[in-house]
Amino acid sequence: MTATIEAPARRRAPLALAVLAGVLTGVAAKAGDESGWQWAADLGSYPAAWVLVVALIGWSAPSPVAAALRSGVFFAAMTVAYYAWAALVLDFGWSVRLLVVWLVLSATAVPATAVAAHVATRGSGWLPGALLAMAAGITLGGGALTDAGDHPVQAVVDVVVALVLVVVLARDLRTRLWATALTLPLTGVAAVLLGLLRDLLG
């Protein structure tokens, strides 16, 4: 009986931790936006930090389902905390349209990215390499590198995150080589997709 009770509790603990981490991250991201420090605002505005967090969630999760649930819960909690802090603490009002868009992404693109990271970090060859390269491409396609003069800290962060994704998280040399070769072309694809997302967000 005790084992039966403890098993669901163990399954719920990572989700509760994801909620807590998401809330703290959302508040920190909004604080960074309003800090007046360019580098702090950039960390929350460019995709590198979020891609890395979601990839690490996928890498550490025991299964694709766990990767999807944990990343989606984390991102949804972060989104709600970000806009709630802006509305309730900073008195900016509710950005309902943006809140809904990010919650939709929390239920779709974010879990898909975490599952891709879960699969990529456990496989070998061109497909895992391509999945890691796409994550690196999203990081580098954010635009900080092309505007490094105005965003020097973020440009460095983008490069470091891309290296972690392509070199550290890849399982073997073969996968690293594929990921490295595919990062540049997939960065172009990611830049287009991120442009469409920015248009959607207005």
Side-chain angles (χ1 to χ4, degrees), residues 140-201:
L140 298 175
L145 279 179
T146 58
D147 198 15
D150 291 331
H151 305 277
V153 174
Q154 187 61 44
V156 172
V157 170
D158 284 3
V159 172
V160 170
V161 170
L163 288 173
V164 170
L165 293 167
V166 170
V167 177
V168 178
L169 292 186
R171 186 175 181 179
D172 54 28
L173 179 60
R174 181 170 170 238
T175 306
R176 290 186 190 100
L177 292 175
W178 274 110
T180 301
L182 293 171
T183 292
L184 184 58
L186 289 179
T187 295
V189 174
V192 172
L193 295 176
L194 289 170
L196 294 175
L197 178 60
R198 290 190 191 98
D199 291 342
L200 177 63
L201 295 175

Side-chain angles (χ1 to χ4, degrees), residues 1-11:
M1 180 66 72
T2 302
T4 304
I5 294 172
E6 288 178 351
R10 284 197 300 269
R11 288 194 293 268

Side-chain angles (χ1 to χ4, degrees), residues 27-73:
V27 172
K30 191 58 189 174
D33 284 350
E34 303 305 317
S35 67
W37 298 334
Q38 181 69 53
W39 65 267
D42 285 349
L43 284 176
S45 301
Y46 284 84
W50 312 122
V51 172
L52 181 60
V53 169
V54 172
L56 290 176
I57 291 173
W59 166 73
S60 63
S63 69
V65 172
L69 285 175
R70 293 176 188 180
S71 61
V73 165

Side-chain angles (χ1 to χ4, degrees), residues 14-19 21-23 50-79 102-118:
L15 292 180
L17 182 59
V19 171
V23 169
W50 312 122
V51 172
L52 181 60
V53 169
V54 172
L56 290 176
I57 291 173
W59 166 73
S60 63
S63 69
V65 172
L69 285 175
R70 293 176 188 180
S71 61
V73 165
F74 167 82
F75 219 85
M78 182 191 72
T79 297
W102 284 113
L103 286 177
V104 169
L105 290 173
S106 299
T108 54
V110 169
T113 302
V115 170
H118 178 86

